[in-house]
Amino acid sequence: MKRASVAVAPIVLALLAGCGSSSKTTSSSTGSAAASTPAQSTSTPAQTATAPATTTAPAQSSSTASAAGAITVTTKQTTLGPILAAGPRKLTVYMFAADTVPTMSVCGPNCASVWAPVTTRARPQAGGQALASDLTTITRPDGHQQVTYKGHPLYFFAGDGNASDANGQGITSYGAAWYVLSPSGDKIDKS
């Protein structure tokens, strides 16, 4: 549709320019100004299309003013003592005992459907008793940056629905056990 209106505009301008011989010079200068108008209006949809993406980004980063796209790892008090949690809902995070190399997660796609990696788009932030110096990231095979704490890749458990849950504590699945972490980065091995 846009191509048709762009193609019709020069024809209309040519017809208007042909009406009246004394205004040919004026019409052709008006015609070129009018001919540039479709090009300008053609660029308007592109500008409009990018505007929502620009306005969406600040809304996503409003909860973390210091770094857009950064997740915050913090602590919360539970019956197990203070443990690590992450994100705006302060969901419990877990370490996987099978992750023995700090720079690599062995939790593949099937595992990640239950034990979602804690990912970030910027340097992770620390809150509560969590230490920023203990937070780093590793690159997963899919290219996402997974947050680690004291060398332990962090995960959320699909069975946790709110901040008070720690339902994954001590579960053995995908070949090894899952544990919550204390602020010191040590696994808590009690249920």
Side-chain angles (χ1 to χ4, degrees):
M1 291 283 179
K2 290 181 184 177
R3 289 185 187 182
S5 60
V6 172
V8 172
I11 294 169
V12 172
L13 291 174
L15 289 174
L16 290 174
C19 298
S21 60
S22 64
S23 62
K24 275 189 180 180
T25 311
T26 312
S27 295
S28 64
S29 67
T30 306
S32 33
S36 68
T37 304
Q40 291 170 354
S41 64
T42 313
S43 65
T44 304
Q47 293 169 352
T48 306
T50 55
T54 306
T55 44
T56 305
Q60 292 173 348
S61 63
S62 63
S63 64
T64 54
S66 60
I71 194 165
T72 300
V73 175
T74 188
T75 54
K76 63 183 179 180
Q77 190 61 40
T78 68
T79 57
L80 298 168
I83 63 171
L84 296 181
R89 293 174 45 205
K90 292 187 179 179
L91 293 177
T92 302
V93 296
Y94 300 86
M95 54 124 348
F96 186 30
D99 286 338
T100 57
V101 178
T103 58
M104 188 175 95
S105 166
V106 298
C107 181
N110 288 337
C111 171
S113 68
V114 177
W115 299 93
V118 177
T119 60
T120 188
R121 287 180 281 169
R123 179 156 176 74
Q125 304 295 304
Q129 297 172 39
L131 300 175
S133 59
D134 290 336
L135 288 167
T136 57
T137 60
I138 58 172
T139 303
R140 292 187 58 79
D142 62 7
H144 288 97
Q145 294 298 304
Q146 183 173 0
V147 179
T148 68
Y149 192 82
K150 279 252 177 159
H152 300 292
L154 301 179
Y155 304 87
F156 293 117
F157 178 51
D160 290 346
N162 59 55
S164 63
D165 292 341
N167 298 322
Q169 173 63 13
I171 288 178
T172 297
S173 68
Y174 296 96
W178 299 82
Y179 298 102
V180 296
L181 292 166
S182 70
S184 65
D186 296 324
K187 72 177 180 181
I188 297 176
D189 194 3
K190 58 185 175 180
S191 298

